Amino acid sequence: MKNLFDIKGKVAVVTGGSRGIGEMIATGFVENGAKVYITARKAEACNATAERLSEKGTCISLPYDLGTMEGVEGFAKEIAAREEKLDILVNNAGAAWGEPLDQYPEKGWDKVFDINLKGPFFLIQKLLPLLRKAATYENPARVINTASVNGIVPPILETYAYSSSKAGMIMLTRHLAGRLARENILVNAIAPGPFPSNMMAATLAEMGEEIKKSNPRGRIGEPEDIAGVAIFLASRASAYTTGACIPCDGGSAEV
């Protein structure tokens, strides 16, 4: 039972790894000995995060826009040129769009779905050869998808594409888990609640205290909360877990 959560030496990709939840997961992986590639659309932010995390371990910046097929294919090709196998893929890059129902635009819907659901599906597809090379019966490869509690419980905010895409991510996780388990690739999802991030900044600034008070744990998420769940799903501790969606929300989805 020792070293159940050991991920030392594993090769990991964290999309949307330059900030927010992606940065929290990447930090947890780096500090626990994994070799981590992070990608994000904004090169400057991605490079700065990788430089900072490299002080703690190995973190490499490969900026790409994974909301486009060109970005997905380019990133997958670059990873394949650098690595013979991939142990862990974290699909975390995401976007939100809020607008009243009567004015909700097609461009907002398409942007959110391209980044939150289409991009992750095709990135998994393009990286399957590397995941298959890493996968063994004793030590499966891992895909970890970032969903949201808003994919489980509808939000108050008018973020229709976001909640729909995250519900879709939960079902995609379950579907892929059933397909890939026999290839020794485990696919799970994390459904975060409120965490400090750019996406949540305006909401927390306006309603932060109210959100804390309504949360059964009485607070918002902290970096080790989400990193801990990701490390569990990336390690031997979860070798018999696939198709799961784990809320990391302080119990907010249950009230």
Side-chain angles (χ1 to χ4, degrees):
M1 294 289 182
K2 294 180 68 174
N3 303 318
L4 280 174
F5 299 91
D6 184 15
I7 58 170
K8 190 178 297 182
K10 289 184 178 289
V11 177
V13 162
V14 180
T15 73
S18 67
R19 64 189 189 186
I21 285 173
E23 182 182 355
M24 296 174 199
I25 293 173
T27 301
F29 284 179
V30 168
E31 290 190 3
N32 281 275
K35 179 181 182 180
V36 181
Y37 291 90
I38 62 171
T39 185
R41 182 172 56 86
K42 296 181 179 178
E44 185 176 350
C46 195
N47 293 338
T49 298
E51 183 177 353
R52 186 170 62 253
L53 292 186
S54 291
E55 297 175 3
K56 304 177 181 183
T58 304
C59 186
I60 301 158
S61 170
L62 297 177
Y64 280 89
D65 182 359
L66 300 185
T68 68
M69 282 303 298
E70 292 81 7
V72 168
E73 291 170 351
F75 178 72
K77 286 179 181 177
E78 187 151 359
I79 291 292
R82 290 167 173 260
E83 299 292 339
E84 294 182 357
K85 63 184 181 67
L86 178 64
D87 299 292
I88 307 159
L89 169 60
V90 180
N91 282 307
N92 170 79
W97 190 295
E99 207 158 330
L101 178 60
D102 288 354
Q103 287 85 47
Y104 206 91
E106 182 182 11
K107 67 178 182 179
W109 185 275
D110 289 346
K111 175 184 177 180
V112 170
F113 265 78
D114 283 349
I115 296 174
N116 291 7
L117 200 56
K118 179 181 176 180
F121 174 79
F122 284 103
L123 187 59
I124 293 168
Q125 181 192 70
K126 303 304 179 187
L127 290 177
L128 265 179
L130 294 183
L131 290 165
R132 285 172 172 143
K133 287 181 181 178
T136 66
Y137 183 78
E138 295 78 14
N139 192 10
R142 315 302 172 100
V143 175
I144 303 168
N145 296 322
T146 300
S148 170
V149 292
N150 290 160
I152 301 170
V153 178
I156 297 172
L157 302 174
E158 293 194 274
T159 51
Y160 302 104
Y162 181 79
S163 58
S164 299
S165 67
K166 292 304 185 179
M169 178 62 93
I170 294 170
M171 180 52 70
L172 179 62
T173 297
R174 294 174 63 189
H175 197 164
L176 289 173
R179 169 64 178 78
L180 293 174
R182 294 188 184 279
E183 296 190 52
N184 301 312
I185 300 172
L186 308 184
V187 188
N188 292 288
I190 306 173
F195 276 80
S197 66
N198 282 18
M199 190 181 294
M200 282 290 296
T203 301
L204 290 175
E206 182 179 347
M207 305 168 57
E209 290 306 311
E210 182 181 337
I211 290 171
K212 291 178 185 178
K213 289 177 183 177
S214 66
N215 188 289
R217 287 285 287 130
R219 63 176 177 83
I220 62 171
E222 297 176 355
E224 56 263 38
D225 296 324
I226 199 77
V229 178
I231 289 169
F232 162 69
L233 291 175
S235 69
R236 189 163 55 91
S238 65
Y240 199 52
T241 300
T242 194
C245 178
I246 303 177
C248 185
D249 64 345
S252 61
E254 308 305 321
V255 296

